[in-house]
């Protein structure tokens, strides 16, 4: 019996660790590039990339909107509660100083014994109000700013002015003509130092108001651009899904699109309403306030100069030496007052404002007519009669001035309320938008991720 030859088989290799997969040549950078190519060349990889981009765009839209609108809302709040009240206070400082000068000249003209208590009280009230408002302004202003410098000037010079007024009163009580000189020195300090400083303070605060208003009204261009980019990317992604799967809706992407659209509409409508409110406040409130403030200041200056015409008795002439200085300045002030009331009438946008401006205009016409009578009486040598026609209780130019001043005061209060109402409406239109945009952005990002994950699950 024949047997097949015995053949010894090769020994089996000892078990060991599996060999490591071959790495592509080029190291970690090449490996990362290979993975990136795999991500963009396979449908699951593309979906993951699309989901990441969509989520990033929606979150960026929410974040940018929250930041930009927060800046606009802060500026609008400054308009309502910061710069506009400070501008109004600066205007009140100017008016108080000018009115104090007018009251001082009226009291001096009446004489130390006959000076009405109401005139003295008005002067003291004006000085106290100006001092109080300067303290308030100083607490809200940097000392190195233009406003800070003007506040320092006013605080330094106001005691000098009040000292001269008291010196004028003291000499007037003794019947000394030196009192008139002190009053003229005080008036010169008021017109050349105090009022110019108050005007610069008002100009600085008004410029600050305009800057805040411009910042609050500026369109959030970056937010709108990012929102449109996110919305366009979402629409493209959904169209791509439809073309590849014939499925009309992806619930996650649809929810993200709805959230993005809502945030974009909220941003557009909210900022449009804010701009409209701030524009109304600026056009029909702040401009009217500026014109009315200027008009009231012109009336105060004219009244002070009218009083000084009789105090100086022709002793102070214009630079050319041909005319009475105070009479000339009275005429210039009344001319400015008339022009200001014409502008205020054109800016008035409701019957209440127009009626108040018209009342002031009627008072100005009456004032001019009565001043002509004062001039005629004074030229006729009846000085006491002229004084009575200026500071008397009835039928005097002082009565006409009070009519004008009260009408302008009411008109200012009316326009201030209109400004505040419109500016608050503009500010409130932005309320909740920063937080709402941030929340909608996060919800949109979650929706995008869920929508893409739903598509990825179909490949598992």
């Amino acid at each position: 019996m024949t047997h097949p030859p015995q053949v010894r088989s090769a020994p089996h290799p000892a078990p060991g660790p599996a060999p490591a997969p071959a790495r592509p040549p080029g190291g970690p950078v090449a490996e990362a590039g290979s993975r990136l190519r795999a991500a963009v060349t396979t449908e699951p990889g593309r979906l993951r990339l699309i989901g990441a981009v969509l989520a990033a765009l929606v979150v960026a839209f929410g974040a940018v909107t929250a930041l930009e609108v927060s800046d606009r809302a802060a500026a609008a709040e400054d308009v309502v509660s910061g710069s506009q009240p400070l501008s109004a206070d600066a205007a009140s400082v100017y008016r108080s100083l000018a009115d104090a000068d007018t009251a001082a000249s009226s009291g001096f003209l009446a004489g130390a014994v006959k000076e009405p208590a109401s005139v003295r009280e008005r002067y003291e009230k004006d000085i106290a109000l100006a001092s109080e408002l300067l303290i308030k302004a100083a607490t809200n202003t940097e000392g190195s700013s233009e406003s800070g410098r003007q506040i320092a000037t006013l605080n330094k010079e106001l005691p000098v002015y009040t000292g001269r007024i008291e010196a004028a009163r003291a000499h007037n009580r003794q019947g000394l003509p030196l009192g008139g000189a002190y009053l003229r020195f005080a008036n010169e300090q008021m017109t050349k130092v105090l009022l110019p400083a108050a005007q610069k303070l008002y100009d600085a605060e008004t410029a600050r108001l305009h800057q805040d208003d411009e910042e609050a009204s500026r369109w959030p261009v970056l937010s709108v651009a990012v929102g449109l980019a996110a919305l366009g990317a979402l629409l493209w992604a959904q169209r791509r899904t439809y073309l590849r799967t014939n499925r009309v809706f992806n619930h996650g992407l649809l929810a993200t699109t709805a959230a993005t659209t809502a945030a974009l509409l909220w941003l557009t409508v909210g900022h449009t309403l804010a701009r409209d409110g701030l524009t109304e406040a600026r056009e029909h409130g702040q401009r009217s306030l500026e014109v009315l403030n200027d008009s009231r200041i012109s009336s105060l200056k004219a009244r002070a100069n009218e009083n000084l015409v009789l105090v100086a008795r022709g002793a102070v002439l214009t630079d050319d030496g041909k005319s009475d200085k105070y009479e000339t300045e009275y005429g210039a002030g009344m001319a400015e007052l008339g022009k200001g009331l014409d502008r205020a009438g054109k800016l008035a946008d409701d019957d209440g404002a127009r009626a108040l401006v018209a009342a002031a205009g009627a008072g100005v016409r009456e004032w001019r007519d009565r001043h002509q009578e004062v001039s005629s009486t004074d030229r006729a040598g009846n000085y006491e009669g002229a004084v009575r026609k200026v500071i008397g209780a009835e039928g005097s130019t002082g009565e006409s001035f009070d009519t004008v001043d009260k009408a302008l005061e009411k008109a200012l209060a009316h326009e201030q309320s209109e400004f505040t109402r419109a500016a608050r409406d503009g500010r409130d239109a932005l309320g909740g938008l920063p937080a709402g945009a941030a929340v909608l952005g996060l919800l949109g990002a979650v929706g995008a991720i869920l929508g893409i994950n739903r598509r990825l699950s179909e490949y598992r």
Side-chain angles (χ1 to χ4, degrees), residues 172-456:
N172 197 31
R173 283 195 296 268
Q174 301 174 43
L176 300 176
L178 191 58
Y182 270 105
L183 183 67
R184 292 195 299 273
F185 291 154
N187 173 263
E188 184 176 2
Q189 182 190 12
M190 177 64 74
T191 56
K192 293 186 177 181
V193 179
L194 288 168
L195 290 183
Q199 181 67 52
K200 291 178 182 178
L201 174 62
Y202 174 68
D203 291 341
E205 295 300 334
T206 301
R208 187 171 159 189
L209 168 62
H210 291 164
Q211 182 179 354
D212 289 338
D213 182 76
E214 183 180 351
E215 175 64 24
S217 301
R218 191 156 48 89
W219 268 102
V221 178
L222 183 58
S223 298
V224 174
V226 176
L228 291 175
L231 190 59
L234 284 165
L235 294 175
W236 171 84
Q238 290 175 91
R239 182 175 182 275
R240 181 181 184 276
T241 299
Y242 170 72
L243 293 176
R244 289 176 175 269
T245 65
N246 287 327
R247 293 175 183 171
V248 178
F249 297 119
N250 179 290
H251 293 157
L253 294 182
L254 189 62
T256 302
T257 303
T260 304
T261 302
L264 193 58
L265 287 174
W266 190 358
L267 171 65
T268 304
V269 174
H271 201 271
T272 299
L273 292 175
R275 281 174 59 90
D276 289 344
L278 292 170
T279 299
E280 181 183 354
R282 180 177 62 253
E283 297 295 331
H284 301 296
Q286 183 60 26
R287 288 190 179 180
S288 292
L289 285 171
E290 291 174 3
V291 172
L292 289 170
N293 274 320
D294 290 342
S295 298
R296 196 176 183 196
I297 288 166
S298 295
S299 72
L300 291 167
K301 288 181 176 179
R303 177 60 178 170
N305 284 312
E306 183 180 45
N307 291 334
L308 288 169
V309 169
L310 296 179
V311 171
R313 299 188 182 187
V316 183
L317 301 178
T318 55
D319 292 338
D320 59 10
K322 296 181 180 179
S323 306
D324 185 289
K325 176 179 182 293
Y326 298 116
E327 181 68 35
T328 301
E329 291 182 356
Y330 160 81
M334 294 297 285
E336 286 298 319
L337 175 58
K339 293 177 183 178
L341 291 178
D342 287 341
R343 291 195 296 270
K346 294 176 182 177
L347 289 171
D349 60 342
D350 60 73
D351 292 339
R354 283 189 285 269
L356 291 170
V357 173
V364 168
R365 290 189 293 272
E366 180 184 65
W367 186 359
R368 284 188 175 126
D369 292 340
R370 290 179 176 180
H371 183 77
Q372 292 296 327
E373 295 177 8
V374 171
S375 299
S376 300
T377 303
D378 189 31
R379 285 194 298 269
N382 186 1
Y383 179 78
E384 294 296 330
V387 170
R388 286 193 299 271
K389 288 180 181 293
V390 171
I391 62 174
E394 295 181 1
S396 66
T397 59
E399 185 182 36
S400 300
F401 162 75
D402 287 339
T403 299
V404 174
D405 192 61
K406 289 176 182 178
L408 289 174
E409 184 178 13
K410 292 179 180 179
L412 281 164
H414 176 83
E415 293 300 334
Q416 181 64 54
S417 66
E418 290 294 302
F419 174 91
T420 302
R421 177 194 58 77
R424 283 178 177 171
D425 288 344
R427 177 200 61 187
D428 294 345
L430 299 175
L433 180 52
V439 170
L440 287 173
L442 291 175
L443 292 177
V446 171
I449 293 172
L450 292 177
I452 293 299
N453 284 342
R454 179 69 183 85
R455 284 283 293 117
L456 285 172

Side-chain angles (χ1 to χ4, degrees), residues 6 26 37 90 105 115 131 142 155 174 225 229 289 296 307 331 386:
Q6 296 183 353
R37 283 192 296 273
S105 62
E115 180 180 10
S131 300
E142 295 181 2
N155 284 327
Q174 301 174 43
L289 285 171
R296 196 176 183 196
N307 291 334

Side-chain angles (χ1 to χ4, degrees), residues 58-212:
V58 174
V59 169
F61 172 47
V64 171
T65 300
L67 291 173
E68 276 201 313
V69 175
S70 293
D71 289 342
R72 306 299 188 275
E77 177 63 30
D78 285 341
V79 169
V80 175
S81 305
S83 52
Q84 202 284 326
L86 288 174
S87 175
D89 285 347
S92 295
V93 169
Y94 195 116
R95 286 198 307 269
S96 297
L97 293 174
D99 192 59
D101 197 52
T102 299
S105 62
S106 296
F108 186 93
L109 195 59
V113 178
K114 299 179 181 179
E115 180 180 10
S118 59
V119 174
R120 177 69 177 178
E121 290 172 1
R122 181 171 181 169
Y123 167 81
E124 292 176 348
K125 182 180 178 181
D126 285 331
I127 295 298
L129 178 59
S131 300
E132 179 183 344
L133 291 175
L134 286 172
I135 293 172
K136 179 181 176 182
T139 61
N140 294 280
T141 304
E142 295 181 2
S144 59
S145 65
E146 176 65 18
S147 295
R149 289 190 291 272
Q150 300 310 321
I151 290 171
T153 298
L154 289 166
N155 284 327
K156 177 183 176 182
E157 296 294 332
L158 187 56
V160 178
Y161 170 81
T162 56
R164 288 177 175 174
I165 291 296
E166 294 309 316
R169 281 199 173 100
H171 286 90
N172 197 31
R173 283 195 296 268
Q174 301 174 43
L176 300 176
L178 191 58
Y182 270 105
L183 183 67
R184 292 195 299 273
F185 291 154
N187 173 263
E188 184 176 2
Q189 182 190 12
M190 177 64 74
T191 56
K192 293 186 177 181
V193 179
L194 288 168
L195 290 183
Q199 181 67 52
K200 291 178 182 178
L201 174 62
Y202 174 68
D203 291 341
E205 295 300 334
T206 301
R208 187 171 159 189
L209 168 62
H210 291 164
Q211 182 179 354
D212 289 338

